[in-house]
Amino acid sequence: MEHLLFKIFLICFTEDFVFAYTLTNEQNLHTALLTGYNKDLRPGTDRTYPLEVNATFYLFSIKEFDLDTGKFSLTGVFQVNWYDERLSWDLATYNQTNSTSIPQQKLWLPDLINVNPYENIRGLGSDLIKVIVFYTGMCDWYALQAFEVICDADVTKFPFDTQYCTLKFFIWGYQPNEVNVNFISSKMILTLYTENGIWEVADSICHTQSNVYGYKEIVVGLHLKRRTAYYVVSLVLPITTIAGLMGFVFLVPHDSGERLGFSITVLLSIVVYLTIVQDMLPEASEPNISIMGYILVSFVLSGALVVVLVIISLRIQNCPDDKPIPQSVAQVVRCCRRRRQKKNKDSVEPINEKCGSLDDDESDGHVTWYEVGKCFDFVCFTSLITQLIVTCVTYFSIVLS
């Protein structure tokens, strides 16, 4: 208990000791620091060594990512600090004043210029921001800003796509051997980040690199991953379900009169979803068009083919009995008949002998156009379901790889 009281007393005593300075002390300090101070000259007594500038980037929120225009907006703050020996002072001279705030327009600042802006080129900070200066000459600058940059989207794997967007900065007006920028953390700080409803921050990177001219380029990059739950529920599953209905049209009895209307309705549904996806995706063809777009186009072509096949099936089943059936077609129908009869034999044991006689008698018997139509429907149904399964497996293996 005595130890706890001693710690509280020590903290209170220290705070009173540190913040004992007055307005007059701080006013005199500002006058002394800014008198004769030239903000156009970079700090550093020995000009043979570059000024070391340390930076950290804090991400607050992702505002917008427009895939059509490539506009990427976010809000964040750069914490930048450096030593300026001209802004150091003796604590005893100013009644233990250990820090003060000075408007940024009165001090030298590293001119970090955004070189990939969406609209206007601008630097960090504003006249509303102040620099915290400590008695050692350490300057701590928190440059809060909303950034709008260009980010070219790659929607090849939409809606399972990932994007990489960067903010690029130069320190304008200085040679590489005059100012050196180092990131304290190689990643963005996300402690104050507010989650975005569409994009998830998968990873981040903060580093410097040299461009082709040898100048240092400050890069803040974001790896974004799209949240896919909404698109799976509202886009992928409905499209897959509707595409699956194309094959089942051949199971509808031909004499019901609903086949053609059913197939056209399915085709129109796919066209509607194609329009929805086109509104979501950018019009650019580089680097690649979305695989989902190709899938929908293939579904549209399949839907159109289904309409044609339904018409052909109806004409086959309504052919007159006296019209001769080609031998190749009749042979295919007999194969389908044998396969169907074999299944019946395996499922109904008591009538093995009867089925055997049917197989012997009917396999080489007369083939009707109605049977040709039924065999044609079976082949179309099997082919379309197989195509759907292969298409879906191929698509998900590509986008999820």
Side-chain angles (χ1 to χ4, degrees):
M1 185 67 180
E2 293 179 356
H3 180 66
L4 179 61
L5 292 175
F6 175 75
K7 289 180 66 176
I8 296 175
F9 172 77
L10 182 61
I11 293 173
C12 295
F13 176 76
T14 304
E15 289 183 351
D16 292 339
F17 179 74
V18 172
F19 296 102
Y21 62 88
T22 63
L23 175 62
T24 302
N25 297 138
E26 193 167 10
Q27 183 174 351
N28 293 336
L29 175 61
H30 276 229
T31 301
L33 293 178
L34 299 178
T35 299
Y37 181 87
N38 188 349
K39 67 177 183 178
D40 296 327
L41 297 177
R42 72 170 178 87
T45 303
D46 190 348
R47 304 309 241 190
T48 59
Y49 294 97
L51 174 67
E52 297 293 333
V53 176
N54 298 318
T56 305
F57 188 82
Y58 293 82
L59 179 64
F60 286 174
S61 63
I62 297 173
K63 296 172 56 181
E64 177 187 7
F65 190 5
D66 191 334
L67 299 179
D68 290 321
T69 60
K71 178 182 178 182
F72 179 59
S73 305
L74 59 85
T75 303
V77 59
F78 263 105
Q79 180 188 3
V80 186
N81 54 66
W82 65 93
Y83 279 99
D84 191 340
E85 66 280 353
R86 296 170 296 180
L87 299 177
S88 60
W89 66 89
D90 183 19
L91 288 175
T93 305
Y94 299 97
N95 196 16
Q96 303 301 320
T97 304
N98 62 353
S99 65
T100 187
S101 298
I102 302 177
Q104 71 168 46
Q105 66 269 22
K106 295 183 179 181
L107 301 179
W108 178 91
L109 298 174
D111 294 326
L112 292 171
I113 307 298
N114 184 205
V115 293
N116 65 330
Y118 181 74
E119 290 184 347
N120 300 324
I121 296 178
R122 56 181 300 187
L124 287 182
S126 68
D127 294 340
L128 301 176
I129 298 177
K130 295 185 177 181
V131 180
I132 302 174
V133 182
F134 297 90
Y135 72 96
T136 58
M138 169 67 75
C139 298
D140 211 357
W141 180 36
Y142 291 86
L144 174 65
Q145 195 163 312
F147 300 94
E148 293 182 353
V149 297
I150 296 175
C151 181
D152 295 327
D154 182 2
V155 295
T156 305
K157 297 182 178 182
F158 175 87
F160 301 93
D161 53 323
T162 57
Q163 308 293 338
Y164 178 64
C165 298
T166 60
L167 285 73
K168 296 182 179 180
F169 299 87
F170 280 144
I171 295 186
W172 211 258
Y174 294 97
Q175 298 297 323
N177 60 347
E178 292 182 313
V179 178
N180 185 35
V181 178
N182 301 298
F183 276 99
I184 298 176
S185 173
S186 61
K187 298 184 180 295
M188 293 183 181
I189 308 300
L190 303 178
T191 53
L192 300 176
Y193 174 65
T194 302
E195 292 289 343
N196 184 269
I198 300 177
W199 297 100
E200 175 187 352
V201 178
D203 197 6
S204 63
I205 185 171
C206 300
H207 66 100
T208 58
Q209 62 186 20
S210 298
N211 62 9
V212 293
Y213 300 103
Y215 285 89
K216 279 288 186 69
E217 189 177 59
I218 297 112
V219 179
V220 177
L222 266 177
H223 291 273
L224 302 175
K225 182 179 180 181
R226 189 188 297 272
R227 301 182 187 274
T228 59
Y230 168 78
Y231 299 96
V232 170
V233 173
S234 63
L235 190 64
V236 177
L237 290 180
I239 289 176
T240 306
T241 304
I242 294 174
L245 293 177
M246 291 189 300
F248 286 92
V249 68
F250 292 99
L251 300 183
V252 178
H254 76 281
D255 53 357
S256 65
E258 299 294 333
R259 276 192 172 190
L260 192 59
F262 182 82
S263 59
I264 293 177
T265 301
V266 172
L267 175 60
L268 292 178
S269 300
I270 296 175
V271 171
V272 169
Y273 270 98
L274 177 62
T275 306
I276 294 174
V277 175
Q278 286 178 337
D279 292 337
M280 293 181 179
L281 299 179
E283 298 178 359
S285 299
E286 292 293 336
N288 291 301
I289 299 176
S290 172
I291 299 176
M292 175 62 73
Y294 288 115
I295 296 296
L296 285 174
V297 170
S298 69
F299 285 164
V300 170
L301 296 178
S302 297
L305 179 61
V306 166
V307 174
V308 175
L309 293 176
V310 166
I311 295 174
I312 295 174
S313 176
L314 292 175
R315 288 185 60 86
I316 289 174
Q317 296 187 10
N318 287 280
C319 282
D321 294 335
D322 57 351
K323 185 176 181 180
I325 299 175
Q327 282 296 330
S328 57
V329 176
Q331 188 64 31
V332 172
V333 173
R334 291 189 183 101
C335 290
C336 293
R337 183 190 296 172
R338 293 192 193 101
R339 188 165 180 261
R340 185 173 62 253
Q341 289 175 351
K342 183 178 180 181
K343 288 183 178 180
N344 292 335
K345 287 180 182 181
D346 295 338
S347 59
V348 186
E349 290 293 337
I351 55 173
N352 276 340
E353 293 184 4
K354 185 176 180 180
C355 287
S357 63
L358 286 174
D359 187 21
D360 295 336
D361 297 338
E362 294 185 12
S363 60
D364 297 325
H366 179 67
V367 175
T368 64
W369 282 107
Y370 178 80
E371 288 181 299
V372 173
K374 296 295 288 184
C375 186
F376 180 80
D377 291 344
F378 174 77
V379 172
C380 291
F381 171 77
T382 306
S383 301
L384 288 170
I385 295 301
T386 303
Q387 178 203 3
L388 175 65
I389 294 174
V390 171
T391 301
C392 292
V393 170
T394 304
Y395 171 71
F396 284 108
S397 63
I398 293 175
V399 298
L400 298 179
S401 60

